[in-house]
Amino acid sequence: MNKSRRDGASSPANGRQGNDWDTKRKRKIADITQALSVSPVDVAALRRMAISEGGLLTDEIRCQVWPRLLNVPPHVLEQEPEKVDREDNKDYNQVLLDVQRSLRRFPPGMPDEQREGLQEELIDIILVVLKRNPQLHYYQGYHDIVVTFLLVLGERLATALVEKLSTHHLRDFMDPTMDNTKHILNYLMPIIERVNPEVHDFMQQAEVGTVFALSWLITWFGHVLSDFRHVVRLYDFFLACHPLMPIYFAAVIVLYREEEVFECECDMAMVHHLLSQIPQDLPYETLISRAGDLFVQFPPSEMAREAASHDSMAASTFKDFDLASTQQRPDSVLRRRRKQKQAALERSAANAVVTVAQPSAARRFVRLAVMGLTVALGAAALAVVNSALQWAPKLDLFP
């Protein structure tokens, strides 16, 4: 990996003592090297390394491990991507606009000539993947994921991995409609309710919906995090896990900000504005651990029915997607819809009294039990790994 692209090293965000972390780092590198050297490659061990504290550590290691996590065969990695006729491509104009607006995704201080070259490569990767897979539909935010792979892997490897990712983890986002994206977002509120019913009820009363988390989900947080080290740390985690893990991570961010939520006015626009602004100093390792815990405590199979029951609320929320996607401010859209809904309520029931159900003591206990779990790589992480292996795309094993 060309070091001039960016600083590829990553370290845990919780301030470990230098010597202790150096020892763990060396041990982890040795474990990763061992997992890569055996035949067949020990993918389960690589997934554990990607999930555990610090992730995969460097871009050089990611170049070796990310293809294994996505099960991309070596002969595919060796293929040079073909060129696409841009002028006859239906997606070119939109891709060009999005890429031109992506300046902040490149390292600060990068020479303009180098950045412009990478932007050209970014356009090529996206158009090649779409040409090879006509069933896929480009969406705004897709380039935020692709640029992460480009900066870490370079054009050739990024093309192969992005194609695999697009036909598996990101497949729901690349449908002609947003129905499947909506369904994934529908998991957010049930997860929050299981852990902290008070936060859930507050958000329901504010009628904030889940639009604030849309860019988190469809860009794997690449669009909203300013520090590239944090972005690639999350990508290590997501690539090693079930495709729905990003929505669990979104839930733990909301839960972590409980105090801020309760201090906010219970108003749709105010809560939306608060939650859509992600703090840049989050304790990422702690949140990754908690997301893994929640996945084990409340797996997708258990949450599916509750997610489906939120369709009625999400249906109205997704009307806001169409408005927001036309470059309008989401908070303005939400504020207007709230006023419209409030006016309708006042006309139909001027004297109505709204009551909010109090969460049971049992559900409060669930919240304490779940958020009290702090395992970083125990049974919880192992269960996440096993789930990911069961889901992982089936191809021939690596030689």
Side-chain angles (χ1 to χ4, degrees):
M1 179 64 199
N2 188 345
K3 277 288 186 181
S4 65
R5 288 181 182 273
R6 63 171 207 87
D7 181 6
S10 60
S11 60
N14 57 1
R16 294 272 185 166
Q17 292 295 325
N19 291 338
D20 183 41
W21 170 242
D22 286 343
T23 300
K24 289 186 176 183
R25 178 187 172 90
K26 291 177 181 178
R27 185 185 308 123
K28 172 174 270 196
I29 291 175
D31 291 341
I32 292 173
T33 301
Q34 172 63 23
L36 287 168
S37 66
V38 298
S39 181
V41 169
D42 191 346
V43 178
L46 294 178
R47 292 186 186 277
R48 290 195 294 271
M49 296 299 103
I51 292 171
S52 64
E53 183 181 22
L56 295 175
L57 304 174
T58 71
D59 286 351
E60 286 77 12
I61 292 176
R62 292 183 178 100
C63 286
Q64 299 178 69
V65 175
W66 280 8
R68 304 294 182 170
L69 297 181
L70 283 174
N71 209 0
V72 179
H75 73 273
V76 174
L77 299 175
E78 295 167 1
Q79 296 174 357
E80 291 293 338
E82 68 273 20
K83 294 297 181 181
V84 175
D85 184 355
R86 296 182 175 187
E87 300 306 321
D88 293 333
N89 190 286
K90 65 181 178 64
D91 296 302
Y92 171 65
N93 288 332
Q94 184 60 59
V95 172
L96 177 63
L97 288 173
D98 290 345
V99 170
Q100 288 176 337
R101 289 193 292 256
S102 66
L103 297 183
R104 71 179 189 84
R105 292 303 317 278
F106 294 90
M110 174 178 282
D112 290 345
E113 183 178 355
Q114 183 181 7
R115 174 185 50 75
E116 290 168 1
L118 288 171
Q119 286 180 302
E120 290 298 309
E121 292 178 2
L122 177 57
I123 293 172
D124 286 338
I125 294 172
I126 294 173
L127 296 183
V128 165
V129 171
L130 294 175
K131 179 185 177 182
R132 291 177 181 174
N133 302 274
Q135 77 278 15
L136 301 179
H137 296 263
Y138 178 77
Y139 65 88
Q140 289 182 278
Y142 181 66
H143 68 290
D144 281 299
I145 289 181
V146 180
V147 73
T148 302
F149 281 83
L150 173 62
L151 291 174
V152 172
L153 306 172
E155 183 180 9
R156 178 171 54 82
L157 290 182
T159 302
L161 269 64
V162 166
E163 181 173 12
K164 188 60 174 291
L165 192 76
S166 301
T167 55
H168 291 85
H169 291 68
L170 306 180
R171 182 65 184 84
D172 287 326
F173 309 145
M174 306 193 75
D175 274 352
T177 71
M178 299 190 75
D179 289 346
N180 285 334
T181 303
K182 173 189 69 177
H183 178 71
I184 295 173
L185 277 173
N186 285 349
Y187 281 82
L188 181 63
M189 294 302 291
I191 296 170
I192 292 172
E193 183 179 23
R194 290 293 189 96
V195 181
N196 192 326
E198 294 93 340
V199 170
H200 171 271
D201 292 345
F202 183 91
M203 294 173 65
Q204 289 287 80
Q205 188 173 355
E207 299 176 342
V208 69
T210 55
V211 176
F212 67 86
L214 175 62
S215 64
W216 306 358
L217 181 66
I218 65 175
T219 70
W220 277 13
F221 297 84
H223 183 72
V224 294
L225 298 181
S226 59
D227 192 328
F228 199 81
R229 294 173 303 171
H230 299 152
V231 175
V232 293
R233 175 65 187 100
L234 289 182
Y235 277 43
D236 292 342
F237 179 49
F238 295 153
L239 288 171
C241 294
H242 190 281
L244 287 179
M245 187 57 78
I247 202 67
Y248 283 81
F249 192 79
V252 300
I253 289 180
V254 175
L255 293 165
Y256 174 77
R257 303 183 68 190
E258 170 189 353
E259 292 184 6
E260 294 176 79
V261 170
F262 287 141
E263 291 173 358
C264 183
E265 181 181 346
C266 191
D267 170 81
M268 178 189 291
M270 297 293 290
V271 178
H272 171 86
H273 180 74
L274 170 71
L275 292 176
S276 62
Q277 307 296 314
I278 292 185
Q280 297 299 309
D281 59 348
L282 293 170
Y284 290 95
E285 295 299 336
T286 299
L287 297 182
I288 285 171
S289 177
R290 288 180 176 177
D293 294 338
L294 292 189
F295 185 92
V296 174
Q297 292 284 325
F298 312 116
S301 58
E302 180 180 322
M303 305 304 297
R305 180 175 297 181
E306 295 175 48
S309 70
H310 280 65
D311 278 344
S312 58
M313 181 182 69
S316 62
T317 299
F318 266 75
K319 294 177 183 177
D320 301 329
F321 280 3
D322 296 332
L323 297 172
S325 65
T326 59
Q327 307 305 312
Q328 297 188 57
R329 288 178 55 84
D331 53 344
S332 299
V333 173
L334 291 167
R335 190 180 299 109
R336 181 167 63 253
R337 289 184 60 80
R338 176 173 173 79
K339 289 180 179 178
Q340 292 170 348
K341 190 167 186 177
Q342 185 63 32
L345 288 172
E346 290 174 354
R347 287 194 300 269
S348 61
N351 298 319
V353 177
V354 179
T355 60
V356 179
Q358 293 298 316
S360 66
R363 292 201 295 180
R364 288 195 183 93
F365 178 78
V366 169
R367 172 199 170 196
L368 294 173
V370 174
M371 298 309 283
L373 292 173
T374 57
V375 294
L377 195 64
L382 182 60
V384 173
V385 169
N386 290 338
S387 174
L389 288 173
Q390 291 170 7
W391 178 89
K394 297 297 189 294
L395 284 179
D396 294 336
L397 290 174
F398 290 106

